[in-house]
Amino acid sequence: MPATSSNAATSSSVTELFGSFVLGGEEFALPAICIREVVNFPARISALPLSPAFLEGVFTLRGTVIPVVNLGRVFRPEARAAEASDKIAILDFQGVLVGILFDATGEILRVRPEQRSTLSYANGDAHGVVAGTILLDDGARLLQVLDPAALVRIENVPQVLALQGAHRQTARRNQGERRQCVSFRVAGASFAFEMSAIQEIIRVPELQASVLNSALCLGRINFRGSQVAVVDFNTLLNAAPAQAAQAERQFLPDQRIVIARIDDATIGFLVDSVDNIVNFYSEEVMAIPLLSKARAGMFGGCIAKPELGDIIFLNHREIFSSNEIKEMRQGHANLYPKDEAVKTEQDPKRNQRQVYITFALENTYALEIKQVREIIDFSGDITRPPGMPAFMRGMLNLRQQMISVIDLRQLYQMPVLDKLEQAKILIVERGEDLYGLMVDAVENIMTVNDSRRFAAPKMLRNPDVEGDPRGEMDEVIDIEGEDGSHKTLSVFECDRLLQRLARELPALAA
């Protein structure tokens, strides 16, 4: 036998408190001192890629990310998945939080020493999560006592520290470095690359066949004179079966290719959609130690944002250093040399590049990404105090900071947008204050050489033209379209807009 039991009567004469729970018709107990609270199964829970079957995922509880362990699957891998009627006991042991899934809650029990027995595990045997038993009703009722120390240290369950109150987060943010990432969706889950790793985000062009085509490599695209391999992120996650032949595949309108770059290596990743630019601090990234799983190094952690949900933060350097990705990009570099005409083209005076986001507001505009703190989805949780001008959508509480949301359509006297599903709010800073600029949609992220930025034609710079923001924009950028044609976009200046609003709103002038 891997474990033996002994009666605890001789070790203590103090009555202990336990909370009981029901799972699969059996009763279990946890020391009451370790139970922070019991909650209903959350409406939104995020599964972690490549995680074991007993880890249902993570959810956010008052600003803290909680991993949820399906105890039934710890005992039996074939046990059922979680259901909406289940309960979750939030275990808080030695500063670590974990949620334990049960069918139902039971009662608070006062247990005398003679009613308890403990299990002893032999040296070398794996330590199970059951620490002993409780016998009640003259032996007619038996409960298995769970070991909190074993539960919070189950392999491949994130170690989430309990000390994550809002006041501690605020203190850390004042000390740590603010970072940005771009979130995107694949197989129903949210992921993110660090902003510095992203060179561009483009619509899916026609992919060219490659001799290296596989379930992982969908083909290649010509990107700035180089042949760049396109990786199917679904396949990289093992989230989807091998795709059909490229000629038979149809891409959806929201799908994008994220062009990521490390040093001189470039790879395109096909994703289902690109969602937001997310502002975060290093201290907010929760570790995901999936140590025994393939490709686990690509997962840098989990970022929890109440308004966005849980986002899996990717370690792009680990992705690029994996053997299959390394062989793919080196193979394409050898088979398809860079276009010499592009490689030798240099502008000694203006060879700097800027990263822009493009957004829709009737027309398409460009905005230097450094002017934007983050981008969030439009939310109905905007409070509109009385007496505000029409172009002020209202006030939004974004992580305990109030933001004035400006409806750019109203400001420029454009027709009201019928559908708000794609609407976004660009969060910009002015001093210590934040402002939200509401736009129809965010389209792409691109890198443009400074040599492609020009003064706007005089015919566009007419501020008296109603409903056309281009009258306030002094510069344009020239970009190359997917079909090789050129397109001119007006460059939006946030500072200029806020200066205008300061003249109309005394509150902004402060």
Side-chain angles (χ1 to χ4, degrees):
M1 294 291 289
T4 58
S5 63
S6 62
N7 194 280
T10 59
S11 62
S12 174
S13 59
V14 179
T15 299
E16 296 179 88
L17 285 179
F18 289 85
S20 70
F21 302 88
V22 178
L23 177 66
E26 298 183 72
E27 280 193 287
F28 294 84
L30 279 166
I33 194 172
C34 299
I35 303 173
R36 173 174 283 200
E37 60 185 299
V38 177
V39 298
N40 294 325
F41 192 78
R44 182 167 59 182
I45 188 168
S46 297
L48 299 180
L50 305 179
S51 62
F54 58 74
L55 185 59
E56 289 286 343
V58 295
F59 76 103
T60 304
L61 181 65
R62 292 187 293 279
T64 299
V65 177
I66 306 292
V68 178
V69 171
N70 185 329
L71 191 61
R73 288 187 167 179
V74 171
F75 297 132
R76 294 183 301 108
E78 70 276 9
R80 70 169 178 81
E83 297 177 353
S85 60
D86 289 337
K87 301 291 184 182
I88 297 176
I90 308 300
L91 187 66
D92 184 348
F93 182 75
Q94 294 182 350
V96 177
L97 293 178
V98 66
I100 309 297
L101 190 78
F102 292 100
D103 297 345
T105 56
E107 57 188 306
I108 298 297
L109 303 171
R110 290 185 176 275
V111 179
R112 301 188 303 276
E114 65 270 18
Q115 295 174 306
R116 281 213 52 197
S117 64
T118 60
L119 290 178
S120 299
Y121 291 87
N123 291 336
D125 286 334
H127 196 292
V129 297
V130 176
T133 60
I134 297 173
L135 282 177
L136 302 176
D137 301 338
D138 297 325
R141 182 182 176 191
L142 182 144
L143 295 87
Q144 299 176 65
V145 179
L146 297 172
D147 183 354
L151 289 173
V152 299
R153 291 177 176 83
I154 295 176
E155 183 185 8
N156 290 332
V157 172
Q159 300 289 298
V160 182
L161 296 181
L163 302 177
Q164 289 188 342
H167 62 287
R168 290 183 60 87
Q169 290 185 12
T170 300
R172 288 201 303 267
R173 290 171 190 173
N174 290 336
Q175 299 172 1
E177 179 185 359
R178 192 173 70 200
R179 300 160 65 186
Q180 284 184 318
C181 60
V182 175
S183 69
F184 54 88
R185 295 192 71 80
V186 178
S190 289
F191 301 87
F193 274 130
E194 186 105 34
M195 180 69 75
S196 60
I198 294 179
Q199 186 165 1
E200 202 154 312
I201 296 174
I202 62 175
R203 297 183 186 273
V204 184
E206 181 177 351
L207 301 187
Q208 303 173 44
S210 166
V211 296
L212 300 177
N213 271 26
S214 64
L216 184 61
C217 178
L218 297 177
R220 58 192 172 93
I221 60 174
N222 187 314
F223 181 73
R224 305 192 190 287
S226 296
Q227 296 299 316
V228 173
V230 176
V231 172
D232 187 339
F233 215 95
N234 270 285
T235 304
L236 189 66
L237 295 173
N238 292 333
Q243 299 290 345
Q246 178 57 38
E248 303 172 7
R249 182 165 184 180
Q250 298 294 321
F251 296 105
L252 299 175
D254 288 341
Q255 287 186 292
R256 295 289 187 272
I257 293 178
V258 177
I259 308 293
R261 185 177 180 86
I262 300 294
D263 299 325
D264 61 345
T266 304
I267 286 284
F269 296 96
L270 177 71
V271 302
D272 295 343
S273 66
V274 173
D275 295 337
N276 297 291
I277 294 176
V278 181
N279 190 65
F280 71 102
Y281 294 82
S282 299
E283 294 85 354
E284 293 182 85
V285 182
M286 180 191 76
I288 307 175
L290 304 177
L291 302 180
S292 64
K293 298 297 179 181
R295 301 188 180 124
M298 67 187 283
F299 303 112
C302 179
I303 301 172
K305 296 291 184 181
E307 67 279 8
L308 299 176
D310 302 318
I311 301 169
I312 308 303
F313 183 64
L314 297 167
N315 185 337
H316 49 273
R317 294 191 177 275
E318 286 287 341
I319 297 177
F320 271 69
S321 63
S322 69
N323 288 334
E324 54 198 340
I325 299 296
K326 188 184 298 182
E327 291 172 2
M328 186 184 304
R329 58 183 174 81
Q330 289 177 347
H332 280 86
N334 294 333
L335 288 168
Y336 308 102
K338 188 170 184 178
D339 187 335
E340 290 298 323
V342 175
K343 185 167 62 175
T344 58
E345 181 186 67
Q346 293 185 356
D347 184 338
K349 295 182 179 179
R350 304 189 68 192
N351 57 4
Q352 298 298 313
R353 308 178 72 84
Q354 303 296 333
V355 180
Y356 297 84
I357 62 169
T358 62
F359 64 89
L361 193 69
E362 287 286 340
N363 297 303
T364 299
Y365 300 90
L367 171 63
E368 288 185 19
I369 207 163
K370 63 186 178 183
Q371 296 190 41
V372 181
R373 170 170 169 168
E374 59 187 296
I375 299 176
I376 63 175
D377 294 325
F378 173 77
S379 169
D381 299 330
I382 297 178
T383 303
R384 181 177 172 81
M388 293 186 105
F391 61 80
M392 293 296 296
R393 188 84 183 194
M395 306 297 294
L396 173 66
N397 186 335
L398 182 66
R399 297 186 291 279
Q400 288 75 54
Q401 187 164 3
M402 298 306 295
I403 296 173
S404 300
V405 179
I406 300 160
D407 188 334
L408 294 183
R409 276 187 166 268
Q410 286 282 354
L411 179 66
Y412 292 112
Q413 302 179 37
M414 295 178 177
V416 175
L417 188 64
D418 293 332
K419 297 181 179 180
L420 297 174
E421 291 85 354
Q422 300 296 320
K424 300 285 186 180
I425 297 177
L426 313 181
I427 306 298
V428 299
E429 290 180 294
R430 187 169 182 260
E432 296 182 355
D433 297 322
L434 298 181
Y435 300 95
L437 308 181
M438 182 178 166
V439 300
D440 300 353
V442 169
E443 297 179 340
N444 286 322
I445 296 176
M446 61 183 61
T447 305
V448 179
N449 196 292
D450 284 347
S451 63
R452 309 310 303 166
R453 184 162 172 166
F454 310 97
K458 289 184 178 180
M459 62 180 297
L460 288 179
R461 286 181 282 171
N462 185 358
D464 297 327
V465 178
E466 186 176 293
D468 192 346
R470 291 176 295 184
E472 297 182 343
M473 303 179 193
D474 295 333
E475 294 182 298
V476 297
I477 56 172
D478 176 71
I479 63 173
E480 186 174 344
E482 298 164 14
D483 57 356
S485 62
H486 284 261
K487 187 176 181 181
T488 301
L489 301 181
S490 295
V491 179
F492 195 91
E493 291 289 345
C494 291
D495 285 345
R496 184 162 181 172
L497 170 69
L498 293 177
Q499 288 169 8
R500 169 187 168 177
L501 294 176
R503 295 191 295 269
E504 303 184 27
L505 281 178
L508 283 175

